[in-house]
């Protein structure tokens, strides 16, 4: 179920590459949010800032974020996973993607 370009991600024996992967996912997610919701103007919001509370993303925008995650990272997101703990900040989105890729 979890594949990228037809290969299953199995983890890494190199700890530094895992950190690189985390920052890469966070960077891609942040870039999407800035381009799609802030019209390219990164106002310096924090990666742990609530996207809903700060008004960056509204409830309709959450579905755009979900579509982006599924298409960009080759994951499938179930309805029960559509919760703030998974989707309400760049950090939470990045962590969620990594958990999905690892499963």
């Amino acid at each position: 179920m979890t594949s990228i370009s037809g290969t299953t991600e199995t983890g890494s024996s190199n700890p530094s590459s895992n950190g690189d992967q985390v920052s890469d996912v966070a960077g891609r997610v942040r870039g999407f949010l800035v381009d799609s919701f802030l019209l390219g103007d990164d106002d310096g919001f924090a990666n742990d800032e609530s996207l809903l509370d700060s008004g960056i993303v509204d409830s309709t925008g959450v579905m755009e974020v979900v579509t982006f995650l599924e298409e960009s990272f080759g994951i499938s997101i179930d309805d029960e996973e559509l919760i703030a703990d998974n989707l309400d900040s760049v950090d939470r989105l990045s962590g969620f993607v990594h958990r999905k890729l690892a499963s």
Side-chain angles (χ1 to χ4, degrees), residues 24-36:
D24 180 53
V25 170
R28 288 175 63 188
V29 168
R30 185 180 184 92
F32 170 77
L33 294 168
V34 168
D35 290 345
S36 299

Side-chain angles (χ1 to χ4, degrees), residues 48-74:
D48 64 350
E49 185 175 337
S50 169
L51 300 172
L52 291 168
D53 290 346
S54 64
I56 295 170
V57 176
D58 61 16
S59 58
T60 304
V62 169
M63 296 316 298
E64 292 179 54
V65 172
V66 167
T67 299
F68 165 77
L69 296 176
E70 290 180 328
E71 291 176 356
S72 296
F73 299 102

Side-chain angles (χ1 to χ4, degrees), residues 5-17:
S5 302
T7 61
T8 301
E9 182 152 322
T10 58
S12 171
S13 60
N14 181 351
S16 66
S17 72

Side-chain angles (χ1 to χ4, degrees), residues 2 42 48 57 75:
T2 305
D42 188 340
D48 64 350
V57 176
I75 60 176

